[in-house]
Amino acid sequence: MKIKSKKRLLSKILIVLGIIFFLAILLNGSGKVPFFNAIPKAAAVTFNGCMTACQIFVFCLAMIVSNGKVFKLAFILNIIMLLLALLNLAHDGFVNCGAGVAFSLLGCCLIYALRCYIKRLKKDEEDLDRAAYTDQLTGCLNRRGLLRELAMKSEMGKEFYLIFIDLDNFKQINDTLGHEAGDELLCDVITTWSKIQSKYPFTICRLGGDEFAIIYETKDKEITREFITKVLRSITTLQSKFANYVSASAGLALYDEDTSDLQQLLSYADTAMYKAKLSGKNDYYFFDQDMYQEIMKRYLTEKDLKNALKNDTFEMLYQPQYEISSHKLVGFESLIRLKNKKGEYINTQQFINVAEKSGLIYDIDMWVMHNVMKQTRDFVLLHPEVEVSINISGKHITNKGFIEDVIDSLSETNFPPKNLKIEITESSYIRHIDEA
């Protein structure tokens, strides 16, 4: 936008200078008419001078604005001057007018060469722009193109929904059918969405991988609800070999009702999409502040879990179990605990739920088994009648490699198998009974 305004300013300056130059020639004419003796000599030189001034002015203007029509005008003026020079040549001979003919021919060649060069530069600029702002696989805008489009709509005062869409089960397609099949699916999705654009004008962007963004210009929630339903349904009804494999989850944020900050708008749309993923996929959610707080809490808990796994900072507590009649110690129940950065304990059920949904539960269960066996081995060797109970996630128990995981932990710690007791909570069992 700034470059165009500078060009317009330079063009206006050139026009003023050209008019001044033109008037100066009109007011100061002298010379000889080479081919029409009846015309006063002052008028002849004035005409030739005006034509030269016009040539210079139009040529400079063409160089600034890089406009094809202005280049054509400059070329036509050079042709006219060439014809006049040829008439002079026929009348006065080569000695007097040969330089004028050569100058006019050179001018025509120079304008043509510069026009070709500038066209090439503009094409290269367009190619670079396309490469910078366009996704090479699908042909739609990329992340950088999305940011530019958002900035333009923001400057124009447009109201729009930013929609983040993530394909469900895309990784499985890549892993089972190959990356070429995955690329084919992405192109099929863009083709399908393009067919909807006739009824719902919107802008499609591919952010990378299986993530997309859509800019939909409206603030009407019900129209947007109808639109996103159609978009998600189009994926589940793809007319291709992937029709039964893929669905999509979407999150929507409204500019500028939710926020007028574009980076925050991106974050809000991503948050809403994440909520749709957590809720079972193949669904969409509109952003709201309560959702943001919930997602941020989950995000921070997940971050604490990853740090605890990396730095080995989980805590294990052991609750003794006694036989009521004899008051004899018969076992221990191992309990995992986790602190946040402030040193406060995080609710156990909360971080276990986050661990299951994020996939970290397998690593946590393995950490618990290994450390409990290691920490209690010496005690149970001295008291072989004592059992140590370990709570394991129902999601882990249903995993085919669970038995091998237990055997590996027993082997690594030399823990006696008869003293180990695996427990699973009823609620966890109910949640994962379909996987069993």
Side-chain angles (χ1 to χ4, degrees), residues 368-387:
V368 169
M369 281 197 293
H370 182 84
N371 280 275
V372 167
M373 293 179 190
K374 183 179 178 181
Q375 292 171 12
T376 60
R377 178 193 58 204
D378 292 342
F379 184 86
V380 297
L381 288 175
L382 291 173
H383 303 85
E385 72 282 1
V386 174
E387 290 183 339

Side-chain angles (χ1 to χ4, degrees), residues 148-274:
R148 183 175 68 168
E149 194 73 16
L150 290 173
M152 288 172 58
K153 291 189 183 300
S154 174
E155 288 177 7
M156 294 167 66
K158 300 280 188 181
E159 291 182 313
F160 56 88
Y161 272 99
L162 176 62
I163 307 171
F164 269 24
I165 301 177
D166 186 84
L167 299 184
D168 304 325
N169 308 318
F170 181 75
K171 187 177 183 299
Q172 293 180 9
I173 292 175
N174 266 344
D175 293 343
T176 56
L177 302 178
H179 289 278
E180 289 185 4
D183 290 347
E184 185 183 342
L185 169 60
L186 296 175
C187 293
D188 285 349
V189 168
I190 293 297
T191 302
T192 302
W193 286 347
S194 299
K195 295 175 183 177
I196 307 174
Q197 283 183 311
S198 57
K199 185 177 179 182
Y200 303 94
F202 60 93
T203 304
I204 309 172
C205 311
R206 182 182 173 224
L207 304 178
D210 60 341
E211 292 184 345
F212 297 89
I214 287 178
I215 304 172
Y216 186 48
E217 284 192 37
T218 184
K219 65 174 184 178
D220 190 306
K221 194 168 186 176
E222 291 309 312
I223 292 176
T224 306
R225 195 185 299 277
E226 177 187 332
F227 165 70
I228 191 59
T229 300
K230 197 171 187 69
V231 168
L232 296 185
R233 188 178 297 149
S234 70
I235 296 176
T236 57
T237 57
L238 279 172
Q239 299 299 314
S240 71
K241 60 186 178 183
F242 307 108
N244 299 321
Y245 293 93
V246 70
S247 59
S249 302
L252 302 88
L254 178 59
Y255 179 90
D256 57 352
E257 186 173 307
D258 288 330
T259 179
S260 57
D261 182 273
L262 294 179
Q263 288 299 327
Q264 203 165 37
L265 186 72
L266 294 167
S267 175
Y268 284 177
D270 191 44
T271 297
M273 183 191 71
Y274 184 58

